[in-house]
Amino acid sequence: MSTSNKIPRVGFVSLGCPKATVDSERILTRLRTEGYLISPSYEDSDLVVVNTCGFIDSAIAESLDAIGEALTENGKVIVTGCLGAKGNIVKQTHPNVLAVTGPQAADEVMDAIHAHLPKLHDPYVDLVPPQGIKLTPKHYAYVKISEGCNHRCTFCIIPSMRGNLVSRPISDVMQEAQNLVDAGVKELLVISQDTSAYGVDLKYRTGFWKGEFIKSRITELAQALGELGVWVRLHYVYPYPHVDELIPLMAAGKITPYLDIPFQHANARILKLMKRPANSEDVLSRIQQWRAICPELTLRSTFIVGFPGETEREFDELLEFLKIAQLDRVGAFMYSPVEGAAANDLPNHIAPELQQERLARLMAIQAEISTQRLAQKIGKTLEVLVDDVDELGAIARSHADAPEIDGLVYVQNGQSLQQGDKVLVRVTHADEHDLWAEIV
């Protein structure tokens, strides 16, 4: 392993959701602030940090494999993230790791790094940009506004790993957002475990930003972020009544007309077993009202199929909900037991073969819905943000497309564009996921 110039080098493997990505960015920023170099390879690293996911079995397996690879290729490994909060599974599987911490544990990770790779005294300070170290491309960034969650959904163990809701001071959120915009970011993706609950734990305490008082509440935060002149996209929005207040902001162009709301199911009994809001008729009515106020609104949601006890009739109710709701983007997953989740103790677990069959049926229906809704955009003019450019043109996204999880807009005459450009295009073609367009 290289020790060129005797500057300590740290390798970093970041797994899991965008919230884990933000945790990684915070640790990387601390490392660079203290003068450590970040190495892209195992062989040039003096040690490796692996930020893990521990939510479902496949994520646990991926994390344990990543730890094993880092140990094999480097030998000195510090583990952090959600898997670290799941008892002794890391130490039992990989007893040679140097240290294990849970999620949102930057201080503990830095303590472990200091213990095993002490930083050198340097009279000069390495300057780190105000926006910190980011793992995303330069034109978009995640902004995490809170940690933890107050809900106790029976399929989820996140509160046991990340704790109850802890909202960041609104001035801190706004300063981070301003720093990112000043650095050239064109899209802010607002994330947390429960974005619409922002400020509940603070009792919506009033903060201070640029000479103005501002309440620590999602509506007021969205309004303030909307003044920064970039796309503001809201993820993980729990459907509280006050979410209705966000729709006029979208209609007015203040924030991106996009809501990521994980409904999870449509049947009242299943939702009650999940400990989720249980009124699909109210949800359908609200969706209709939202679209009346903001016709350009894009709705993304996720659903669980094959939840313990789900009957054929209850699953059919979910399919009917999808047909009526006409959601733009849908992700669906087969229920998978997670160690420590209350749903594990429910009776009548569904056979994997039936789960798979139901998942296929749901996604087939959603594919038809998505195809029809995207076809309606042919001939329309859209603003897009360019993610990449190659010899075939530009690969971009519209307001309707969050990075990595939604569709793309292929700009066929966009070879002259650059990453981060915003441009108007006219849609020429569509399939069930993506659009093709030309510069206006």
Side-chain angles (χ1 to χ4, degrees), residues 249-359:
L249 297 177
M250 297 177 182
K254 296 292 186 181
I255 61 175
T256 305
Y258 180 102
L259 273 182
D260 171 17
I261 301 184
F263 292 124
Q264 306 298 6
H265 211 279
N267 174 263
R269 189 184 75 87
I270 295 296
L271 287 167
K272 187 174 182 179
L273 289 175
M274 291 178 171
K275 291 192 176 179
R276 300 286 295 183
N279 191 335
S280 61
E281 290 182 4
D282 178 58
V283 168
L284 290 170
S285 175
R286 291 176 74 191
I287 289 175
Q288 187 176 28
Q289 293 170 13
W290 294 344
R291 285 178 169 153
I293 296 169
C294 183
E296 301 303 315
L297 175 65
T298 294
L299 289 172
R300 152 169 276 280
S301 191
T302 52
F303 297 90
I304 297 173
V305 302
F307 192 77
E310 180 189 63
T311 66
E312 192 67 25
R313 182 189 62 79
E314 290 165 338
F315 176 68
D316 286 341
E317 186 176 334
L318 172 56
L319 298 184
E320 187 63 23
F321 173 87
L322 286 177
K323 293 174 184 177
I324 297 172
Q326 293 286 298
L327 301 176
D328 300 275
R329 306 292 190 187
V330 167
F333 310 90
M334 297 187 300
Y335 171 78
S336 174
V338 178
E339 183 181 352
N344 296 347
D345 298 327
L346 293 174
N348 303 317
H349 282 236
I350 309 299
E353 297 79 9
L354 182 55
Q355 287 184 317
Q356 186 64 58
E357 185 264 339
R358 288 179 179 175
L359 177 63

